[in-house]
Amino acid sequence: MAEEESQFEEFEQIDFLRDRHVRFFQRTLQVLPERYASLETTRLTIIFFALSGLDVLDALDVIDRNTMIEWIYSLQVLPTEDQVNLSRCGFRGSSHIGIPYSTKGPGVLHPYDSGHVAMTYTGLCSLLILGDDLSRVNKQACLAGLRALQLEDGSFYAVPEGSENDIRFIYCAASICYMLDDWSGMDIQKAIEYIRGSLSYDNGFGQGAGRESHGGWTYCAIASLCLMGRLEEALSQRELDRIRRWCIMRQQSGFQGRPNKPVDTCYSFWVGATLELLDVFQYTNFDKNRSFILSTQDRLVGGFAKWPDSHPDPLHAYLGLCGLSLIGEPSLRKVHPALNITQRAFQHVQQLQQTWRDSTGSCSRQH
Amino acid sequence: NKYNTRFISTDKIPPVFLCFRDRKEWADLEPVPQDDGPNPVVKIAYSEKFSDVYDYFRALLKNDERSERAFALTSEAIELNAANYTVWHYRRVLLQALSKDLREEMRYITAIIEEQPKNYQVWHHRRMVVEWLNDPSEELEFIADILSQDAKNYHAWQHRQWVIQEYKLWDDELDFVENLLEEDVRNNSAWNQRHFVISHTSGFSDAMEREIQYCLYQIKKAPNNESAWNYLKGILQPLGLSAQPGLLERVLELKQTHCSPYLLAFLFDCYEDALENSKENVAEEEQQKTLKKALEICQLLAQEDTIRKEYWLFLGRSLKNKHGSSDPSDEPLADDPEPSVPVSEQQEMS
């Protein structure tokens, strides 16, 4: 009897506060104070964290889907009448450039307006999570914008005017091609070469060749290869086993991002999902992982932080939930480990792509 | 610079921040507000001062104005939000269009990176300015300073690798790495840099014995250091762990006094490599002995590295399936669960 009671106490302290997290994401979607100014150009990624977070919580009913969908479409960089800006198309992170609000084309010519690969990726994800059919996405323009971002070495810039280039944006590109069911957006072979080149001597992946292996970049590498359907073509069984080892060694309680660094909630997803894609997540310690993630839960405002007794933020709140979903936390929806959306949203993607393929088929029959 | 007159003051009234919309020199420009439409999402509540600066930034951007006042405004905009990549891009356009002093820009970006060393845009900007100047002479010292504040800053290491590779500044880097490892032998970034330097300079063939010695020396000082073991395994891996003569014996010796899960995993990997790469004349009996040793290590790891218990047992099972003899008298592994029951289910039930 006494043992049962103390187990119950333990659960009370580390119980999962679903409603707090729903409210955390609701507030995120409304207004943020000025100290969040550094998130301005990436607001669309914040929407993705909140929407996908609510989806994982099975709480999308708390938001107004149509309002969200309209706002996301207002961020699409559409081709101008003469299509001179085609290689700059995609989605913006926010309205910070000052383009007047519009959800339809043609695009407005502006010397500095262009899409950002991570915003195109999270924009498409967010629309799909909301059940949109992408009928207002100019897919060819998005793909043209994407092609313009790939370098000779296979990596991607974030924006056509130039930026840093690395493996993160390969993942964004692969996700975009996957969702649009069109791989003309990237040179897969070159991307695979860059990914292989990023494999470190210690069998994790760095952000590029020679760089330190890291849980986030390892996720980008493996998830990209999975989305491309090239995992076993790109990496030998021996390499995969070594990568499994590097990943599984990241568990200390929760997971760390690099050897000899502190554990951080977000790696419960980045490394956890990689292990899941490599079929060995089942061999990790679920209890210790869960305990750590919940120790970073903010019991007052909801959300999760990177460490215990730290401030929660949308990224860690979302990835903390995904980390819990991977270990089968009841009341959370399952997450597709490569695309990083719920299985429910993923099924919507698959159904949508089937209707695209069916309609293409019926068109060709008419000719 | 007359465009930098933020404050008006007289002897009697204290200085007051003057909005751009109230400055005479900006009267020709119509500010452009941010337009999120009727139902904004994740709206950030900016102060009047913030909106004022950015409304004028948007106005300049729209006209693609190339002027000193525009350049001065980008500094204001950066101070408010150094993560806005459009501001940085526009600033670079102006730096070139106005032929600004790039040395002064280096001083500017140095100060900003010192304040915000984990921002992608500021490091990218620095790289562009270094490229334009074609002068990396300040870089190694600057990056060393940033690393003295956070020895594992990923941006700093990335920039360092770029500078060294681009401008062939390899000469003193191994010393730099060794100093960092003296300070903290667990600095994984420094171990990575060690590999980076050697692989691009001498290579690992002649240096192999020295590097093995270095690793074993560091392991004796700090046995529970994954970075040192990853490095040792990493440099030996291309040739095969079992190819290095005498290494297994040295590690078995270390096992007595400086054991760790990393040492045990290394032993397992040596045995596995031996099994994978055994020559044709290696007797079946010899193979089975090696397998037995490997499986014992797995059992030991399952006890010592408990968080990864299921993984070590899984490795043992896999190895046995691959290399085990078909001898029916073989004992099954203790704690060997039925392979048909998924481990995840077991964990959920408890």
Side-chain angles (χ1 to χ4, degrees), chain B residues 272-295:
Chain B
E272 186 189 34
D273 189 65
L275 290 168
E276 293 281 312
N277 296 312
S278 56
K279 307 279 187 275
E280 275 170 21
N281 60 354
V282 173
E284 176 66 17
E285 199 190 319
E286 187 63 37
Q287 286 279 85
Q288 291 306 306
K289 263 198 209 162
T290 305
L291 176 63
K292 185 160 183 274
K293 283 188 232 173
L295 296 178

mmCIF file of all heavy atoms in Angstrom, chain B residues 272-295:
data_model
loop_
_atom_site.group_PDB
_atom_site.id
_atom_site.type_symbol
_atom_site.label_atom_id
_atom_site.label_comp_id
_atom_site.label_asym_id
_atom_site.label_seq_id
_atom_site.Cartn_x
_atom_site.Cartn_y
_atom_site.Cartn_z
ATOM 1 N N GLU B 272 33.915 -6.864 -32.523
ATOM 2 C CA GLU B 272 33.005 -6.918 -33.673
ATOM 3 C C GLU B 272 33.783 -6.750 -34.965
ATOM 4 O O GLU B 272 33.539 -7.458 -35.948
ATOM 5 C CB GLU B 272 31.939 -5.821 -33.569
ATOM 6 C CG GLU B 272 30.889 -5.951 -34.675
ATOM 7 C CD GLU B 272 29.941 -4.771 -34.755
ATOM 8 O OE1 GLU B 272 30.379 -3.634 -34.485
ATOM 9 O OE2 GLU B 272 28.763 -5.001 -35.116
ATOM 10 N N ASP B 273 34.741 -5.819 -34.963
ATOM 11 C CA ASP B 273 35.546 -5.596 -36.158
ATOM 12 C C ASP B 273 36.338 -6.861 -36.503
ATOM 13 O O ASP B 273 36.453 -7.226 -37.671
ATOM 14 C CB ASP B 273 36.488 -4.410 -35.938
ATOM 15 C CG ASP B 273 37.190 -3.998 -37.213
ATOM 16 O OD1 ASP B 273 36.494 -3.548 -38.139
ATOM 17 O OD2 ASP B 273 38.421 -4.146 -37.299
ATOM 18 N N ALA B 274 36.863 -7.509 -35.468
ATOM 19 C CA ALA B 274 37.614 -8.748 -35.700
ATOM 20 C C ALA B 274 36.715 -9.807 -36.341
ATOM 21 O O ALA B 274 37.116 -10.498 -37.272
ATOM 22 C CB ALA B 274 38.182 -9.264 -34.383
ATOM 23 N N LEU B 275 35.486 -9.910 -35.858
ATOM 24 C CA LEU B 275 34.551 -10.893 -36.413
ATOM 25 C C LEU B 275 34.178 -10.558 -37.854
ATOM 26 O O LEU B 275 34.085 -11.437 -38.705
ATOM 27 C CB LEU B 275 33.284 -10.959 -35.555
ATOM 28 C CG LEU B 275 33.438 -11.583 -34.169
ATOM 29 C CD1 LEU B 275 32.191 -11.323 -33.321
ATOM 30 C CD2 LEU B 275 33.701 -13.086 -34.265
ATOM 31 N N GLU B 276 33.963 -9.263 -38.112
ATOM 32 C CA GLU B 276 33.556 -8.836 -39.445
ATOM 33 C C GLU B 276 34.663 -9.038 -40.469
ATOM 34 O O GLU B 276 34.403 -9.326 -41.630
ATOM 35 C CB GLU B 276 33.194 -7.346 -39.441
ATOM 36 C CG GLU B 276 31.955 -6.994 -38.647
ATOM 37 C CD GLU B 276 30.670 -7.310 -39.392
ATOM 38 O OE1 GLU B 276 30.570 -6.927 -40.572
ATOM 39 O OE2 GLU B 276 29.796 -7.944 -38.797
ATOM 40 N N ASN B 277 35.900 -8.812 -40.015
ATOM 41 C CA ASN B 277 37.007 -8.769 -40.965
ATOM 42 C C ASN B 277 37.965 -9.950 -40.835
ATOM 43 O O ASN B 277 39.112 -9.860 -41.230
ATOM 44 C CB ASN B 277 37.778 -7.464 -40.783
ATOM 45 C CG ASN B 277 36.894 -6.271 -41.109
ATOM 46 O OD1 ASN B 277 36.229 -6.243 -42.131
ATOM 47 N ND2 ASN B 277 36.863 -5.311 -40.201
ATOM 48 N N SER B 278 37.473 -11.034 -40.244
ATOM 49 C CA SER B 278 38.379 -12.156 -40.009
ATOM 50 C C SER B 278 38.829 -12.750 -41.338
ATOM 51 O O SER B 278 38.055 -12.897 -42.281
ATOM 52 C CB SER B 278 37.697 -13.209 -39.159
ATOM 53 O OG SER B 278 36.493 -13.613 -39.789
ATOM 54 N N LYS B 279 40.098 -13.073 -41.382
ATOM 55 C CA LYS B 279 40.658 -13.701 -42.579
ATOM 56 C C LYS B 279 40.148 -15.132 -42.687
ATOM 57 O O LYS B 279 39.674 -15.716 -41.727
ATOM 58 C CB LYS B 279 42.191 -13.721 -42.491
ATOM 59 C CG LYS B 279 42.820 -12.378 -42.203
ATOM 60 C CD LYS B 279 42.952 -11.512 -43.467
ATOM 61 C CE LYS B 279 43.730 -10.242 -43.195
ATOM 62 N NZ LYS B 279 42.875 -9.176 -42.659
ATOM 63 N N GLU B 280 40.296 -15.681 -43.857
ATOM 64 C CA GLU B 280 39.775 -17.032 -44.096
ATOM 65 C C GLU B 280 40.431 -18.093 -43.229
ATOM 66 O O GLU B 280 39.819 -19.104 -42.927
ATOM 67 C CB GLU B 280 39.946 -17.409 -45.575
ATOM 68 C CG GLU B 280 38.782 -16.902 -46.405
ATOM 69 C CD GLU B 280 39.019 -17.035 -47.898
ATOM 70 O OE1 GLU B 280 39.883 -17.854 -48.280
ATOM 71 O OE2 GLU B 280 38.350 -16.326 -48.661
ATOM 72 N N ASN B 281 41.688 -17.835 -42.821
ATOM 73 C CA ASN B 281 42.374 -18.893 -42.061
ATOM 74 C C ASN B 281 42.118 -18.814 -40.556
ATOM 75 O O ASN B 281 42.681 -19.554 -39.787
ATOM 76 C CB ASN B 281 43.883 -18.864 -42.341
ATOM 77 C CG ASN B 281 44.492 -17.517 -41.942
ATOM 78 O OD1 ASN B 281 43.767 -16.597 -41.563
ATOM 79 N ND2 ASN B 281 45.795 -17.406 -42.031
ATOM 80 N N VAL B 282 41.244 -17.868 -40.159
ATOM 81 C CA VAL B 282 40.904 -17.813 -38.731
ATOM 82 C C VAL B 282 39.929 -18.935 -38.421
ATOM 83 O O VAL B 282 38.870 -19.043 -39.032
ATOM 84 C CB VAL B 282 40.270 -16.450 -38.369
ATOM 85 C CG1 VAL B 282 39.755 -16.453 -36.937
ATOM 86 C CG2 VAL B 282 41.291 -15.332 -38.566
ATOM 87 N N ALA B 283 40.307 -19.751 -37.468
ATOM 88 C CA ALA B 283 39.492 -20.931 -37.155
ATOM 89 C C ALA B 283 38.149 -20.525 -36.567
ATOM 90 O O ALA B 283 38.023 -19.483 -35.927
ATOM 91 C CB ALA B 283 40.243 -21.813 -36.173
ATOM 92 N N GLU B 284 37.181 -21.378 -36.817
ATOM 93 C CA GLU B 284 35.839 -21.174 -36.279
ATOM 94 C C GLU B 284 35.897 -21.047 -34.761
ATOM 95 O O GLU B 284 35.205 -20.233 -34.168
ATOM 96 C CB GLU B 284 34.946 -22.355 -36.709
ATOM 97 C CG GLU B 284 33.527 -22.323 -36.138
ATOM 98 C CD GLU B 284 32.686 -21.166 -36.644
ATOM 99 O OE1 GLU B 284 33.042 -20.546 -37.677
ATOM 100 O OE2 GLU B 284 31.659 -20.854 -35.997
ATOM 101 N N GLU B 285 36.787 -21.817 -34.163
ATOM 102 C CA GLU B 285 36.918 -21.806 -32.707
ATOM 103 C C GLU B 285 37.364 -20.426 -32.218
ATOM 104 O O GLU B 285 36.870 -19.917 -31.222
ATOM 105 C CB GLU B 285 37.951 -22.865 -32.304
ATOM 106 C CG GLU B 285 37.844 -23.273 -30.839
ATOM 107 C CD GLU B 285 39.025 -24.143 -30.415
ATOM 108 O OE1 GLU B 285 39.418 -25.013 -31.234
ATOM 109 O OE2 GLU B 285 39.541 -23.942 -29.310
ATOM 110 N N GLU B 286 38.311 -19.854 -32.981
ATOM 111 C CA GLU B 286 38.829 -18.526 -32.642
ATOM 112 C C GLU B 286 37.701 -17.493 -32.731
ATOM 113 O O GLU B 286 37.557 -16.624 -31.876
ATOM 114 C CB GLU B 286 39.953 -18.182 -33.631
ATOM 115 C CG GLU B 286 40.728 -16.915 -33.323
ATOM 116 C CD GLU B 286 41.483 -16.968 -32.006
ATOM 117 O OE1 GLU B 286 41.999 -18.056 -31.669
ATOM 118 O OE2 GLU B 286 41.531 -15.937 -31.315
ATOM 119 N N GLN B 287 36.918 -17.607 -33.800
ATOM 120 C CA GLN B 287 35.770 -16.713 -33.995
ATOM 121 C C GLN B 287 34.816 -16.786 -32.808
ATOM 122 O O GLN B 287 34.375 -15.767 -32.284
ATOM 123 C CB GLN B 287 34.986 -17.121 -35.262
ATOM 124 C CG GLN B 287 35.663 -16.752 -36.574
ATOM 125 C CD GLN B 287 35.435 -15.299 -36.933
ATOM 126 O OE1 GLN B 287 36.168 -14.428 -36.471
ATOM 127 N NE2 GLN B 287 34.433 -15.027 -37.730
ATOM 128 N N GLN B 288 34.507 -17.991 -32.413
ATOM 129 C CA GLN B 288 33.539 -18.174 -31.321
ATOM 130 C C GLN B 288 34.072 -17.643 -30.003
ATOM 131 O O GLN B 288 33.311 -17.139 -29.176
ATOM 132 C CB GLN B 288 33.134 -19.653 -31.194
ATOM 133 C CG GLN B 288 32.284 -20.153 -32.371
ATOM 134 C CD GLN B 288 31.051 -19.280 -32.610
ATOM 135 O OE1 GLN B 288 30.251 -19.049 -31.708
ATOM 136 N NE2 GLN B 288 30.903 -18.773 -33.832
ATOM 137 N N LYS B 289 35.411 -17.732 -29.833
ATOM 138 C CA LYS B 289 36.021 -17.165 -28.616
ATOM 139 C C LYS B 289 35.837 -15.655 -28.612
ATOM 140 O O LYS B 289 35.508 -15.055 -27.573
ATOM 141 C CB LYS B 289 37.534 -17.463 -28.605
ATOM 142 C CG LYS B 289 37.945 -18.666 -27.791
ATOM 143 C CD LYS B 289 39.444 -18.587 -27.507
ATOM 144 C CE LYS B 289 40.025 -19.991 -27.352
ATOM 145 N NZ LYS B 289 41.486 -19.981 -27.501
ATOM 146 N N THR B 290 36.091 -15.048 -29.772
ATOM 147 C CA THR B 290 35.945 -13.591 -29.892
ATOM 148 C C THR B 290 34.496 -13.194 -29.646
ATOM 149 O O THR B 290 34.213 -12.229 -28.927
ATOM 150 C CB THR B 290 36.396 -13.118 -31.290
ATOM 151 O OG1 THR B 290 37.731 -13.563 -31.526
ATOM 152 C CG2 THR B 290 36.341 -11.603 -31.405
ATOM 153 N N LEU B 291 33.593 -13.968 -30.229
ATOM 154 C CA LEU B 291 32.167 -13.687 -30.038
ATOM 155 C C LEU B 291 31.804 -13.751 -28.559
ATOM 156 O O LEU B 291 31.095 -12.877 -28.044
ATOM 157 C CB LEU B 291 31.322 -14.687 -30.841
ATOM 158 C CG LEU B 291 29.798 -14.566 -30.650
ATOM 159 C CD1 LEU B 291 29.287 -13.210 -31.139
ATOM 160 C CD2 LEU B 291 29.078 -15.696 -31.391
ATOM 161 N N LYS B 292 32.318 -14.758 -27.886
ATOM 162 C CA LYS B 292 32.015 -14.934 -26.457
ATOM 163 C C LYS B 292 32.493 -13.721 -25.671
ATOM 164 O O LYS B 292 31.779 -13.208 -24.808
ATOM 165 C CB LYS B 292 32.678 -16.210 -25.950
ATOM 166 C CG LYS B 292 32.355 -16.587 -24.509
ATOM 167 C CD LYS B 292 32.645 -18.077 -24.246
ATOM 168 C CE LYS B 292 32.250 -18.475 -22.830
ATOM 169 N NZ LYS B 292 33.316 -18.218 -21.852
ATOM 170 N N LYS B 293 33.696 -13.258 -25.983
ATOM 171 C CA LYS B 293 34.220 -12.076 -25.283
ATOM 172 C C LYS B 293 33.332 -10.865 -25.542
ATOM 173 O O LYS B 293 33.048 -10.080 -24.626
ATOM 174 C CB LYS B 293 35.648 -11.771 -25.763
ATOM 175 C CG LYS B 293 36.707 -12.698 -25.161
ATOM 176 C CD LYS B 293 38.102 -12.225 -25.530
ATOM 177 C CE LYS B 293 38.891 -13.386 -26.125
ATOM 178 N NZ LYS B 293 40.199 -12.958 -26.657
ATOM 179 N N ALA B 294 32.907 -10.723 -26.805
ATOM 180 C CA ALA B 294 32.051 -9.584 -27.160
ATOM 181 C C ALA B 294 30.739 -9.640 -26.382
ATOM 182 O O ALA B 294 30.268 -8.626 -25.860
ATOM 183 C CB ALA B 294 31.779 -9.576 -28.653
ATOM 184 N N LEU B 295 30.161 -10.834 -26.288
ATOM 185 C CA LEU B 295 28.882 -10.980 -25.595
ATOM 186 C C LEU B 295 29.031 -10.727 -24.098
ATOM 187 O O LEU B 295 28.130 -10.170 -23.458
ATOM 188 C CB LEU B 295 28.297 -12.372 -25.857
ATOM 189 C CG LEU B 295 27.927 -12.649 -27.328
ATOM 190 C CD1 LEU B 295 27.397 -14.073 -27.494
ATOM 191 C CD2 LEU B 295 26.900 -11.658 -27.847
#
